[in-house]
Amino acid sequence: MNKIYPSAAEALKGIVADGQLIGVGGFGLCGIPEALIDALKESGVQNLTAVSNNAGVDDFGLGKLLQTRQIKKMISSYVGENKEFERQYLAGELALEFTPQGTLAEKLRAGGAGIPAFFTKTGVGTLVAEGKELREFDGETYVMERSLVPDVSLVKAHRADKSGNLQFRYTSRNFNPAVAMAGKICVVEVEEIVETGAMHPDSVHLPGIYVHRIVLNQHPEKRIEKRTITEKAGV
């Protein structure tokens, strides 16, 4: 089975549609599947619910889809530096399901593991727990959280072999593995594709069974979200 597609647009063809739940990897501006996000924008699909830790910035990452109003709801833990995200939410133009960061990660991990729900203490006694089932275990109150299983997951990895085994680099190994596992269909963009068997087994961070489509993006834009420079003494 050939998993390699010639472009991001081809990799999304036939699998994205209006009203879908889309999982997107990345943390801040690190590990964002930028080519796939651009292709999703160009596809013109509407009324998406996006699951991602944050939404990039105004002109990068999911911020592009907020500008075109293709996202109707965000499930995330952080508004971040995205002013349009903030503006749309405060104006009532965008639905937002704020989720504690660890809970969001577990919702995706559990979804990928076939676990439909789990109990956590995080959020008990706050707005996070409103309308959700509470239960006591060993004298402590827990809130039930439903897992997330996106219709399509968009993921960024450093390297893939032709079978879809993935290697992530540094901080891009954040939400990307969990997003990949959770998606009914997983599309990954990578900077390098090698022959099956070329990667040492210990370098495989996610097995190819979770990956359905691969696209090469050899020259991604690697932005720094906040650049801080220490000035030389006496300068």
Side-chain angles (χ1 to χ4, degrees):
M1 176 182 176
N2 180 28
K3 296 184 178 182
I4 301 173
Y5 284 70
S7 68
E10 286 295 319
L12 296 186
K13 187 176 290 186
I15 61 171
V16 294
D18 293 350
Q20 285 183 321
L21 178 64
I22 304 288
V24 183
F27 187 93
L29 297 184
C30 182
I32 292 175
E34 61 192 75
L36 291 171
I37 291 173
D38 285 345
L40 187 62
K41 175 186 172 183
E42 293 304 315
S43 75
V45 294
Q46 301 291 326
N47 297 318
L48 300 174
T49 297
V51 181
S52 186
N53 179 67
N54 56 290
V57 290
D58 292 319
D59 61 344
F60 191 64
L62 287 177
K64 292 183 176 182
L65 297 180
L66 289 175
Q67 287 181 337
T68 55
R69 304 301 182 90
Q70 288 170 265
I71 296 176
K72 68 173 183 179
K73 180 179 179 180
M74 287 291 306
I75 300 175
S76 59
S77 71
Y78 182 54
V79 172
E81 309 304 315
N82 195 318
K83 298 301 181 185
E84 181 61 14
F85 187 176
E86 178 184 8
R87 189 201 67 76
Q88 288 187 24
Y89 170 59
L90 294 177
E93 300 169 6
L94 175 73
L96 172 61
E97 188 177 319
F98 255 140
T99 306
Q101 198 166 89
T103 301
L104 182 62
E106 182 62 12
K107 278 173 169 277
L108 291 162
R109 189 207 67 81
I115 301 169
F118 59 92
F119 285 92
T120 176
K121 290 178 69 175
T122 304
V124 172
T126 73
L127 291 173
V128 170
E130 282 193 2
K132 298 176 182 176
E133 180 182 342
L134 300 177
R135 192 177 296 185
E136 284 198 7
F137 297 93
D138 302 321
E140 299 284 347
T141 302
Y142 292 75
V143 58
M144 190 182 80
E145 296 283 0
R146 290 296 307 268
S147 302
L148 289 168
V149 181
D151 296 303
V152 177
S153 284
L154 308 182
V155 174
K156 170 67 185 294
H158 176 63
R159 181 182 289 115
D161 68 16
K162 291 183 177 180
S163 295
N165 296 309
L166 301 183
Q167 180 182 18
F168 299 94
R169 192 167 185 263
Y170 302 126
T171 314
S172 66
R173 194 177 176 182
N174 40 52
F175 277 88
N176 277 299
V179 169
M181 291 173 63
K184 295 175 184 176
I185 299 175
C186 173
V187 187
V188 57
E189 75 176 66
V190 297
E191 297 176 40
E192 182 182 1
I193 299 174
V194 299
E195 293 295 328
T196 299
M199 291 185 350
H200 189 281
D202 197 45
S203 297
V204 175
H205 300 142
L206 190 76
I209 192 172
Y210 292 106
V211 176
H212 301 87
R213 300 185 177 191
I214 305 167
V215 65
L216 183 65
N217 180 11
Q218 288 181 294
H219 305 290
E221 182 180 352
K222 298 184 179 181
R223 295 196 188 186
I224 298 174
E225 192 166 359
K226 284 184 179 256
R227 186 177 182 187
T228 303
I229 300 174
T230 302
E231 293 186 8
K232 216 172 187 180
V235 175

